[in-house]
């Protein structure tokens, strides 16, 4: 009787692990297809940009120029929605004197394909190449910004290129470590196919790094931001904010904007 019960429990555990392994992407990526607004609705000029990645996937983005740009932000958003849900951040960057190029990963918004970790890295390099090859920007004129899952995308790109700076907001150390937080009784290290090893990537950055995180973050523990900051090389800055995972940057108000500006002035002092 006991052995049968144990076998049932083992079978259930194996079933749960199999589901987690097979459906990982569906548990991580939550793309929204409908574009609900554009930068034009907040009074900003923008251009629709379509790129083709190295594996022939057509992705969509917006280039939002600033008439007196100090630099350009290459913006990688979180795991849900699409670029049309990021107008608040685009506005903040524009007010800081920055042009913005934001893309939708494959499967999001008007971008084709299906999202995956490897796919988002390919989308990121296509966006970088667009700024360097088409817009003729120097690498030291491009800031990589990633929020939440976008931090994993930005970190993967920063490990391959040489941007002016990297900003990681509300970002995990890795999907594996975040999985351990949510599933402490499962062998996450064995079943995690999606990795986003930000803690490994960040140690290779050769540029200023800003890590932003809220103690009240209800999705990615504050300790993840602290560990990323500890791992990053100098020069680096940590900006603590308040509020939840998705709206902390808005709830923090001036503290967020002034902290961002302080980092930009320090990192791009010749342009401010």
């Amino acid at each position: 009787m006991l052995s049968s019960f144990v076998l049932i429990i083992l079978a259930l555990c194996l079933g749960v692990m199999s589901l987690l392994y097979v459906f990982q992407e569906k548990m991580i990526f939550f793309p929204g297809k409908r574009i609900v607004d554009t930068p034009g609705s907040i009074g900003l000029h923008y251009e629709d940009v379509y790129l083709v990645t190295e594996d022939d996937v057509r992705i969509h983005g917006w280039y939002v120029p600033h008439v007196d740009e100090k630099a350009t932000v290459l913006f990688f958003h979180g795991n849900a929605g699409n670029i049309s849900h990021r107008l608040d951040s685009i506005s903040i960057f524009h007010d800081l004197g920055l042009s913005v190029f934001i893309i939708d990963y494959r499967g999001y918004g008007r971008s084709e394909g299906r999202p995956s970790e490897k796919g988002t890295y390919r989308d990121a390099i296509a966006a970088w190449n667009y700024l360097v090859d088409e817009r003729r920007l120097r690498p030291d004129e491009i800031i990589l910004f990633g929020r939440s899952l976008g931090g994993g995308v930005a970190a993967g790109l920063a490990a391959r290129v040489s941007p002016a700076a990297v900003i990681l907001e509300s970002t995990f150390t890795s999907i594996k470590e975040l999985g351990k937080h949510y599933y402490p009784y499962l062998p996450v290290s064995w079943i995690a196919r999606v990795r986003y090893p930000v803690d490994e990537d960040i140690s290779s950055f050769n540029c200023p790094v800003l890590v932003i995180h809220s103690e009240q973050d209800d999705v990615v523990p504050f300790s993840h931001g602290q560990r990323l900051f500890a791992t990053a090389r100098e020069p680096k800055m940590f900006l603590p904010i308040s509020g939840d995972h998705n709206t902390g940057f808005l709830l923090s108000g001036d503290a967020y904007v002034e902290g961002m500006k302080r980092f930009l002035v320090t990192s791009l002092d010749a342009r401010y």
Side-chain angles (χ1 to χ4, degrees):
M1 184 71 175
L2 182 60
S3 60
S4 297
F5 178 74
V6 170
L7 287 173
I8 291 172
I9 295 299
L10 286 174
L12 287 173
C13 288
L14 287 172
V16 170
M17 287 190 290
S18 297
L19 289 172
L20 289 173
Y21 184 83
V22 172
F23 295 106
Q24 260 170 70
E25 282 84 1
K26 291 187 178 298
M27 297 176 65
I28 293 171
F29 302 104
F30 299 96
K33 298 298 293 183
R34 181 169 170 262
I35 299 296
V36 298
D37 244 328
T38 72
S41 67
I42 57 172
L44 296 179
H45 172 71
Y46 73 100
E47 301 172 28
D48 280 303
V49 176
Y50 287 91
L51 308 173
V52 178
T53 65
E54 62 186 21
D55 57 337
D56 294 321
V57 176
R58 191 169 185 254
I59 62 170
H60 172 250
W62 289 329
Y63 181 74
V64 185
H66 193 287
V67 68
D68 186 29
E69 71 178 33
K70 307 293 191 297
T72 296
V73 173
L74 178 48
F75 189 147
F76 299 108
H77 63 68
N79 71 329
N82 57 54
I83 58 176
S84 69
H85 302 104
R86 272 73 195 189
L87 296 183
D88 288 321
S89 288
I90 291 173
S91 178
I92 289 171
F93 285 129
H94 191 269
D95 288 345
L96 287 168
L98 302 167
S99 295
V100 179
F101 184 41
I102 182 169
I103 63 163
D104 262 331
Y105 315 120
R106 58 191 62 204
Y108 286 72
R110 296 172 183 162
S111 295
E112 299 174 349
R114 295 174 59 184
S116 66
E117 180 181 11
K118 184 179 290 187
T120 59
Y121 292 148
R122 287 172 169 163
D123 301 339
I125 196 66
W128 173 271
N129 289 341
Y130 167 77
L131 291 178
V132 172
D133 297 336
E134 300 296 324
R135 291 284 171 179
R136 300 296 181 185
L137 295 178
R138 300 190 311 271
D140 66 358
E141 295 175 313
I142 304 171
I143 298 166
L144 303 185
F145 172 83
R147 177 177 290 134
S148 192
L149 179 130
V153 181
L157 178 60
R160 297 177 59 183
V161 299
S162 300
V166 177
I167 303 173
L168 302 178
E169 182 179 315
S170 308
T171 298
F172 44 76
T173 54
S174 69
I175 289 291
K176 180 180 70 175
E177 291 303 316
L178 191 61
K180 288 179 179 179
H181 171 75
Y182 282 102
Y183 305 102
Y185 304 111
L186 291 177
V188 173
S189 296
W190 295 359
I191 60 179
R193 289 186 294 105
V194 180
R195 297 178 64 240
Y196 289 112
V198 185
D199 50 357
E200 296 175 17
D201 291 332
I202 199 171
S203 63
S204 68
F205 296 175
N206 289 307
C207 63
V209 177
L210 172 61
V211 176
I212 306 172
H213 219 109
S214 170
E215 288 192 64
Q216 292 83 45
D217 194 312
D218 53 336
V219 176
V220 179
F222 185 64
S223 59
H224 282 238
Q226 291 176 308
R227 284 156 57 193
L228 289 179
F229 178 71
T231 305
R233 300 176 181 176
E234 296 284 358
K236 58 185 178 181
M237 174 180 159
F238 189 86
L239 175 58
I241 58 174
S242 56
D244 62 20
H245 182 75
N246 291 314
T247 61
F249 74 102
L250 290 173
L251 295 174
S252 298
D254 289 344
Y256 176 83
V257 175
E258 290 304 315
M260 187 91 72
K261 185 173 183 178
R262 192 163 61 250
F263 173 73
L264 294 172
V265 168
T266 302
S267 305
L268 311 171
D269 56 347
R271 294 167 230 175
Y272 270 86

